[in-house]
Structures are given as structure tokens and as C-alpha cells.
Amino acid sequence: MELSDSTDRWQQLQLLRRGRTPVQPWLQQFEQSGSPSSIEVLAALIGQLDRAGVEQLLNGPVGRDATTLLEAARRELPLLAGAAEVKQAWLEPLLAQPPSLLWLEILGYFRDARVAARLRLAVEGLDPADPGQADAVRLLPLLGQQRQSEDAALLLRLAQAPLPQAWRHAALEGLAVGLSAWPQEPLAEGLQQLSTDLDPGLAAQAVDLLGRLPDGQQRLRQLQGRALEPSVAERWRRRLQCTPLVLVVHGRQGGVIPEVLQQLAAELERRRSAPVLLQALTATPPEGDGRFWLAARRAGAISLVPLLLLPGDHARSDVPAIAGQWRQQTAAAQLPVLVRRMPFLGAWPTWQRLLASLWAERAAERPLFWLHHPLQGALSARYLQHLAAVVGYPGMAAAYSDPHAALAAQPQPPALLAPLTLAPNRLSESLNMGAQTASVEVLPPLLDWPPVRDFLLTELEALP
């Protein structure tokens, strides 16, 4: 065909696609030729025919061999099938066609309960192990597109079954296109199971779909600790929106928060790309601003982390009360936000091992005591015994106002004193103002140690 002929044909097809030229000459040409027309012509006609025109088309060569029509449908119907006039023209004539895989695929682009029933029946009768039915895998996304809630279980079963990879991926695609229509609880459980699948591509898509559910962030957080393939784990971390953190700290008199804690919070906020608030036990509780609540709503949760080192009254009573106050705020604002309370820092096994390592390195066989404020109760006593066993050094209660009185009562004074405090406080300052002899060294507050700061940044950054 000459270039001018090609240009003229292209212009005619554009006029046909835009409804600016009659369709009957094209339909009559099909009938006279005795063979299907080109994909381009059929693609241009799909959106222009009324029901009578569709029936005329299907009664001719196109209806006897719909292979070319299927190729045209794959191009056009994903965008056109939802238009009322296109559905009205095509649906009933297609339902009158024989239930072959070819016709079912064309029909499947239209959402209708009758179409869903036919696709469901066909899918249930398929044998994925039969090479002759390999093309039938295209029906699975179309079944999902029908958004009939009863089909979720079928698609989920196929995605989880030990089938050829193409079938499992197609079933998961079917779940994806109808995601909002499926029963949420079994869907979420199935997707969480698929996230640990040995097929990284399938597992990654399952993680993506979990994140799209209404409670997706909570579902994603439930994957923490599961054995995810490395690339899937990285995808999970990208999809997981970090919760805003509320770090509960002792604070100084008047609610003053030491600068080292403020610096920690600022660096942590930068790393997490999510707000971090410091709540001092000695100050009025902070109120989250608009950015804080927006991040909480997106993540679906707020994480409350007590940076407290001992199970005293603050950890046992004040922290639960603080968590209750934050829950009241979320309820008053009618926000679907969970308040998750982490264990106090001193209870973390990794923290206890860090202390043991740091103090062993500094002590170098010199006697070391770690000092803490006095505690009461059996629980506190058991904790202190446990911590002493883990770190390998004895602890000693010392009043913040006069820690030297406790030291003077010891039969043999230690060479090293380690105040069990993150930031400078009355205990660490009283020790340093005691005019100690050169034989006794007072170690700095723990956040002055780079390994401690790095540990906290790493562990807190990794929280969901």
C-alpha cells in the first residue's frame, strides 16, 4: 500500500473512532469479504456500535472466528467496558455466544452478575496443569474485576495453591483489581501468609496489597518478626509508614528536658520522617499538632516508648495513665488510631546486654557499682537482681540528694561509679560535686556514650 493510501486509511480510522463517519460501510465490508477485518478497524468500531450493529458484526465472519475481535477487545475494553452505552451495546449479544474461553475473555471485561457466574464456573473447571488451558489464566483477573464477594475465597485459594507461577500471579492480580469488594479479615490473613511465600514477586505484591487495605498499616506491622525474603522485607519497610513516637522521659524540675534528649528526638524524627514528641513526667503533657495527627492517621497508630530504666512507680503507674490520656485524645477526635505502648527501655534484653558490654569494657577488672534511685516492692527487687546478674556488677540504691551517704556505708568503695541515668540529673550531678578522690571515677550519663546514642537511634528508628 502506498504512503498516501496509508495516510488516508489512518485518517478514516480516526474519523471512525470519533464517530464522524458511518459504521455501516465498514460492517458491510466485513460481510462481503467473508473474513474478519483488521484489529485496528475492530478496535475503532468497538466504542461506536449500538446493539444492532454489534449483533450484525457477530453474525458475520467476526462472530465465526473472534480471534481478531479478542485482540481488539484487549486494547479497547479495559477503558470502554464501564461506559453505559458500550455495555448496553455489547453485553447481551456476547452473553448469547457459546461459552468458549475466547468469548468468556471478551465477556469478562463487562461487570455483571451473569458474567461473574460464567467466569466462576469456568475457573472452577480449569486444570492449571493442562498445557492446553494455559491461555485460560487470563480469566482470573477478569473474575476479580467482577467484584463478587464470594469469588475472593476462590482467588485466594488459587494464589496460595502449589500451581504454576503464572496462575498464582494471575489469581493475586484478580484479588488486586477487586480489592475493595472482598471480606477484609480472610483477605488480610491470606495476604499476610502470601507475604512469606518463596516466590519473591508474589510475596512483594501481597505486601503491596496489604498496605492498600483500610487497616493496611496495622496489617503490615503484624508482619514484623516474620521471615521475609530480603527484597520483600525491604519493600515492606518502604510500604510501612512510621508511626509518630511519644518518648516518655523523666525530665528535670519544672519540666525541663535535657538537651541530649532533645537532640536524640530531633535526629530520630529526621531518620523516621515522622513526628517524635518528648513527654516529660514533670511537665504538662504535650499536644500533637496537625502534622502529628496527620501522620498518626496515615500510620493508624501512635507508639508510646518509655525511656525509663527501672520498673518504678513511673513505669508501673504513670506510663499506663499517659497511654490512657492519648487514647482519650484519639477517641475525642474520632480518629481510628491505636496507641501502642512499648515496654520500658530497661526491660529490653538488648539494652541490658549493651550495659554489660559497655561497663565491662570500661571497668577492666576494677570494681564497679551502678547507682539507681531507691525502689520499693517485690517486682523492683527481682528486676534489680536480674539486672545485676546480666551486667555482672552489683547495683546500689542512692538518694539523689546525697548519694555519698550510701557510698560511705560500703565496706570497700568501688573504683567506678555508673549512674543508671540516660541524661544528666540530680544523681549524676551530686556524684560529680562530691569532691571524690582520684581513686574513684564517675562515669558520665549513658546518652553521653556514643554506643548508647547509636543503639537508641537504631532501635527506635526500626520501630514500625
Side-chain angles (χ1 to χ4, degrees):
M1 183 177 294
E2 298 294 332
L3 179 61
S4 59
D5 293 336
S6 297
T7 303
D8 182 62
R9 182 177 179 80
W10 181 86
Q11 291 174 341
Q12 291 178 5
L13 286 174
Q14 295 307 305
L15 291 174
L16 176 62
R17 185 180 290 276
R18 296 168 185 169
R20 297 179 181 177
T21 186
V23 299
Q24 274 302 316
W26 297 92
L27 294 175
Q28 291 172 1
Q29 181 180 342
F30 296 163
E31 294 174 343
Q32 294 169 2
S33 65
S35 61
S37 183
S38 69
I39 295 174
E40 289 76 12
V41 174
L42 286 174
L45 276 173
I46 283 177
Q48 302 303 321
L49 296 177
D50 57 16
R51 178 169 175 175
V54 171
E55 291 174 340
Q56 181 180 350
L57 178 70
L58 299 185
N59 286 331
V62 172
R64 291 190 292 272
D65 179 7
T67 304
T68 309
L69 177 61
L70 175 58
E71 293 300 322
R74 289 171 178 167
R75 293 187 185 184
E76 301 294 319
L77 287 182
L79 295 177
L80 294 179
E85 62 275 13
V86 176
K87 184 176 181 179
Q88 184 178 7
W90 283 89
L91 182 58
E92 297 300 332
L94 288 173
L95 285 169
Q97 301 303 312
S100 66
L101 292 178
L102 185 150
W103 285 110
L104 278 173
E105 183 177 342
I106 300 175
L107 185 62
Y109 287 104
F110 296 94
R111 191 181 305 170
D112 186 89
R114 294 167 295 174
V115 175
R118 292 192 183 188
L119 288 172
R120 186 181 312 120
L121 184 63
V123 169
E124 290 174 340
L126 292 173
D127 180 7
D130 182 358
Q133 295 185 351
D135 289 342
V137 73
R138 296 177 179 272
L139 298 184
L140 300 183
L142 297 173
L143 178 62
Q145 186 174 290
Q146 300 302 314
R147 291 173 169 78
Q148 300 291 313
S149 61
E150 61 266 36
D151 293 328
L154 172 58
L155 291 169
L156 194 56
R157 176 170 57 81
L158 292 173
Q160 294 173 323
L163 299 175
Q165 191 178 56
W167 285 83
R168 301 184 69 205
H169 280 263
L172 195 56
E173 183 181 347
L175 289 170
V177 296
L179 194 64
S180 60
W182 314 132
Q184 295 295 294
E185 192 62 32
L187 174 63
E189 292 177 0
L191 291 174
Q192 287 175 331
Q193 179 180 339
L194 284 169
S195 69
T196 61
D197 197 88
L198 294 178
D199 179 346
L202 195 77
Q205 188 179 0
V207 167
D208 288 346
L209 294 182
L210 267 178
R212 288 171 51 191
L213 296 181
D215 57 352
Q217 289 298 309
Q218 297 176 31
R219 300 292 186 178
L220 285 172
R221 282 194 292 275
Q222 291 170 2
L223 294 180
Q224 189 169 19
R226 297 201 185 189
L228 303 180
E229 192 270 342
S231 65
V232 177
E234 178 61 29
R235 197 181 195 96
W236 169 71
R237 283 189 287 270
R238 291 199 305 268
R239 295 292 178 268
L240 190 64
Q241 295 191 28
C242 291
T243 61
L245 295 185
V246 179
L247 306 181
V248 180
V249 298
H250 276 288
R252 302 296 300 269
Q253 187 174 6
V256 175
I257 297 177
E259 185 178 356
V260 289
L261 287 169
Q262 297 181 41
Q263 292 172 346
L264 178 76
E267 175 62 15
L268 189 57
E269 182 168 306
R270 186 192 68 79
R271 292 191 182 194
R272 287 173 61 88
S273 299
V276 177
L277 292 182
L278 285 167
Q279 181 162 354
L281 295 168
T282 55
T284 302
E287 293 184 4
D289 57 14
R291 177 171 168 267
F292 178 92
W293 289 111
L294 177 61
R297 185 165 60 250
R298 286 176 174 172
I302 296 168
S303 294
L304 192 72
V305 186
L307 296 186
L308 308 177
L309 304 186
L310 295 167
D313 289 339
H314 292 317
R316 297 199 309 269
S317 301
D318 294 342
V319 170
I322 289 171
Q325 293 167 1
W326 281 103
R327 291 189 181 99
Q328 289 175 4
Q329 287 193 56
T330 62
Q334 296 183 335
L335 293 174
V337 174
L338 295 176
V339 177
R340 300 188 308 120
R341 177 160 60 94
M342 303 293 293
F344 72 98
L345 176 59
W348 298 8
T350 50
W351 169 258
Q352 297 167 11
R353 291 194 293 269
L354 175 67
L355 292 182
S357 173
L358 290 174
W359 288 342
E361 183 178 341
R362 288 296 299 266
E365 300 183 356
R366 291 181 293 171
L368 177 147
F369 277 16
W370 46 274
L371 274 63
H372 61 86
H373 64 77
L375 298 174
Q376 295 180 348
L379 173 64
S380 297
R382 288 198 302 271
Y383 175 83
L384 294 173
Q385 292 173 0
H386 166 77
L387 185 59
V390 172
V391 300
Y393 299 99
M396 181 171 56
Y400 279 10
S401 58
D402 186 14
H404 298 284
L407 292 173
Q410 297 298 315
Q412 181 178 358
L416 282 176
L417 293 175
L420 193 63
T421 174
L422 278 180
N425 64 6
R426 285 188 296 153
L427 176 60
S428 62
E429 291 170 353
S430 296
L431 288 170
N432 285 315
M433 289 189 300
Q436 302 168 59
T437 66
S439 62
V440 178
E441 178 185 357
V442 178
L443 298 179
L446 291 165
L447 260 179
D448 286 352
W449 299 44
V452 171
R453 175 181 167 83
D454 293 343
F455 169 86
L456 287 176
L457 286 173
T458 300
E459 294 297 316
L460 296 175
E461 180 185 2
L463 292 177

